[in-house]
Amino acid sequence: MNSFFIYKKIAVAFMLLCTALLFAQAADGTSSGAPEQIITRGVKAEALTFKYKKGDSYRTLSKVHEDVFVNNQMNHHAEIITRISAKITDARADGSGVCEAVFMSSENSTSTSSGKHFTWGEEYKSVFTRSARGEYTMEDIYFMPVVRDCPIFPDKAIKPGDTWTAEGHEAHDLRRTFGIQKPFQVPFTASYEYKGIVKDGKRTFNVIDVKYNLYFESPKISARAGDGIVSAETAELLNRPAVTMGYSHQTLYWDNERGEIDHYNEEFRIIIETFYGDRFTFQGTAEAEVTEFTRTNDDTTMKKIQDTVEKLGLEDVSVKKGKKGLTISLDKIQFLADSSMLRNSEKRKLDKIADILKSYNNDLLITGHTALRGNERDRQLLSEERAQAVADYLIALGVRDAYHVFTQGKGATEPIATNDTEAGRIKNRRVEITIMDE
């Protein structure tokens, strides 16, 4: 059921997409919640526009807390993290910007915070253009972002109390579930109200209220297996959405000096009714933040961490530059036999590595590797469990919270030594901690 309908898993973070242009050196902070008082009196009218600068890059992290119902029965509660890494590749004379982005979504389908963890999910790439007012232009080969043409700003100055409407749409990926090979588009008309401004330290945000309802009837398909027109396999795919309905209510905090959304929160409820009469409901809340990071994947930082590792006397620990960032590898890491339980010697090693990691605010990716023993399925599972064991220990030490630590297992697919000798297999049993730089 978790893979049935990719809705808020990725949709929520896209309100910030191609808007929050995060600079590595920016250290003035962003607000994590709404300031208490909205100011309306004496606020001058101003035009709100997106501003793009070639070469700007940023990362966005969204959190969705969602209840999923199937035919009106509670199916599960999901906490979903979506991470976006994006870069403005061109800023055009008409005020629009071209963005290249990579999206990753991870779900934790539990209702409690105990045992919370997020694995590194499938990555999706997208390229699109967004105008200064907020309109998207993109090809049908890209399924993300989900929410498009929202927010859209009027082409005139506005003041508190002003309202306007604009057309938008949601584009969903239903390839796996329903065999629909292009983004499934659900149109909506969004209603906007400029509420006023709030001040948070030295920064000022324009507060915008956004609401829209969804009601979309898909074209009816009557062909079924046995009528001589389609096969049984094809007929199963015809149980696609018949009616999509629901609502979204968002509060946006806009930084007009930078031309970007700083943060926002949302309440939503989406209902899907299929042609075969099934009913799926997704409801909950969402929030998003721009995450700061420090550039680490360079020779200077690598040398600095290598020197620290040597000074601390950490054996079988190496540092290297990688595709996603600077990686600290715990070579020959030791667990209890055929388990994911860390030995005390490795915990003491991680205690020291934790002090290194606390010097950086980047997300962490923990990757587990095994030697070529046993079957492929068991190797994969063991590598995932060992990565999670290291992640849990670092989280417990306060290095990061669970929302900023991701795990993945590679089994025995990426050996660094031969698996024909015990010495080689020992080297291949490793866990890598990547300080993410993208």
Side-chain angles (χ1 to χ4, degrees):
M1 175 59 206
N2 294 355
S3 62
F4 168 73
F5 183 68
I6 301 177
Y7 178 67
K8 290 297 173 184
K9 290 185 181 182
I10 302 176
V12 63
F14 305 144
M15 297 295 298
L16 295 176
L17 188 59
C18 204
T19 66
L21 309 182
L22 179 65
F23 295 90
Q25 69 271 23
D28 53 347
T30 58
S31 174
S32 59
E36 296 181 357
Q37 184 178 6
I38 298 178
I39 302 170
T40 58
R41 292 185 178 183
V43 178
K44 66 178 181 180
E46 58 182 327
L48 307 183
T49 61
F50 289 87
K51 299 177 178 68
Y52 308 104
K53 183 179 178 181
K54 184 177 179 179
D56 282 350
S57 61
Y58 65 94
R59 295 179 308 170
T60 301
L61 188 75
S62 76
K63 305 172 187 176
V64 176
H65 312 279
E66 178 181 78
D67 290 325
V68 180
F69 296 82
V70 180
N71 295 327
N72 300 320
Q73 297 294 318
M74 177 70 174
N75 184 273
H76 67 278
H77 175 83
E79 191 167 27
I80 303 154
I81 293 294
T82 298
R83 187 180 187 276
I84 303 173
S85 177
K87 183 176 182 178
I88 305 301
T89 58
D90 192 17
R92 297 175 175 171
D94 62 0
S96 63
V98 180
C99 184
E100 294 183 0
V102 177
F103 308 84
M104 187 284 297
S105 185
S106 178
E107 179 176 333
N108 176 30
S109 295
T110 62
S111 59
T112 65
S113 59
S114 60
K116 179 187 301 181
H117 67 275
F118 296 94
T119 59
W120 190 259
E122 185 175 357
E123 294 183 5
Y124 299 85
K125 294 184 178 180
S126 185
V127 178
F128 54 87
T129 301
R130 198 170 190 185
S131 73
R133 291 187 60 213
E135 300 100 338
Y136 281 91
T137 302
M138 59 192 306
E139 300 179 46
D140 277 346
I141 60 174
Y142 301 114
F143 288 82
M144 299 164 193
V146 174
V147 178
R148 303 177 185 179
D149 300 338
C150 182
I152 297 291
F153 295 121
D155 55 3
K156 62 179 181 180
I158 58 174
K159 61 182 184 302
D162 284 353
T163 61
W164 68 96
T165 61
E167 302 301 310
H169 68 277
E170 296 183 353
H172 301 290
D173 184 355
L174 302 184
R175 288 173 293 181
R176 295 178 181 175
T177 306
F178 297 111
I180 300 174
Q181 297 304 311
K182 292 184 177 181
F184 181 75
Q185 298 192 13
V186 180
F188 61 79
T189 300
S191 299
Y192 299 86
E193 181 181 0
Y194 179 25
K195 307 293 287 187
I197 65 171
V198 294
K199 294 185 177 181
D200 185 13
K202 297 180 179 179
R203 301 181 64 185
T204 298
F205 302 124
N206 308 88
V207 183
I208 303 162
D209 188 79
V210 187
K211 298 178 181 178
Y212 63 80
N213 293 320
L214 294 173
Y215 187 86
F216 178 69
E217 296 184 7
S218 305
K220 189 173 182 180
I221 299 174
S222 59
R224 291 176 180 270
D227 62 7
I229 299 177
V230 297
S231 66
E233 181 179 338
T234 303
E236 184 67 23
L237 293 176
L238 298 182
N239 187 27
R240 66 175 75 189
V243 178
T244 304
M245 50 191 165
Y247 70 87
S248 172
H249 182 193
Q250 305 158 6
T251 303
L252 312 181
Y253 295 85
W254 178 260
D255 185 335
N256 205 38
E257 180 178 352
R258 298 183 178 183
E260 64 187 34
I261 298 172
D262 182 81
H263 59 284
Y264 79 101
N265 53 66
E266 177 186 19
E267 296 179 356
F268 64 88
R269 188 168 191 252
I270 304 297
I271 300 172
I272 304 288
E273 293 182 349
T274 73
F275 280 108
Y276 284 3
D278 292 318
R279 183 184 179 95
F280 301 87
T281 303
F282 308 82
Q283 65 184 37
T285 61
E287 60 194 59
E289 63 177 1
V290 177
T291 60
E292 297 182 9
F293 69 103
T294 303
R295 294 293 181 191
T296 61
N297 202 23
D298 54 65
D299 292 335
T300 300
T301 307
M302 182 177 68
K303 180 65 165 54
K304 177 182 177 181
I305 294 180
Q306 285 175 333
D307 290 344
T308 303
V309 167
E310 184 176 347
K311 182 178 180 181
L312 292 172
L314 295 174
E315 296 182 355
D316 300 317
V317 175
S318 59
V319 185
K320 60 184 177 180
K321 292 189 293 183
K323 184 177 180 180
K324 293 186 178 299
L326 199 64
T327 297
I328 301 174
S329 180
L330 285 79
D331 306 322
K332 304 180 184 179
I333 188 169
Q334 296 184 36
F335 296 85
L336 297 181
D338 297 320
S339 78
S340 59
M341 295 183 63
L342 285 161
R343 291 185 179 274
N344 289 334
S345 60
E346 303 307 311
K347 290 181 179 180
R348 289 192 292 270
K349 190 180 296 183
L350 286 171
D351 289 341
K352 297 179 181 180
I353 291 176
D355 291 334
I356 298 174
L357 297 174
K358 288 177 181 179
S359 300
Y360 306 93
N361 53 9
N362 303 37
D363 294 342
L364 301 178
L365 176 61
I366 316 297
T367 306
H369 301 268
T370 67
L372 191 61
R373 291 184 60 184
N375 60 57
E376 182 178 353
R377 179 180 177 277
D378 289 344
R379 292 194 298 267
Q380 178 62 32
L381 180 60
L382 186 58
S383 67
E384 293 172 0
E385 291 176 344
R386 288 179 169 178
Q388 190 57 50
V390 171
D392 288 343
Y393 193 75
L394 292 176
I395 292 170
L397 291 175
V399 174
R400 301 286 188 283
D401 63 33
Y403 296 107
H404 296 275
V405 180
F406 302 92
T407 63
Q408 64 179 357
K410 293 291 188 177
T413 61
E414 297 181 3
I416 58 173
T418 179
N419 278 293
D420 295 332
T421 66
E422 181 58 25
R425 289 190 290 270
I426 289 174
K427 289 183 178 180
N428 289 332
R429 298 185 190 108
R430 68 193 190 280
V431 172
E432 298 173 332
I433 303 170
T434 299
I435 306 170
M436 299 193 68
D437 202 19
E438 63 172 39

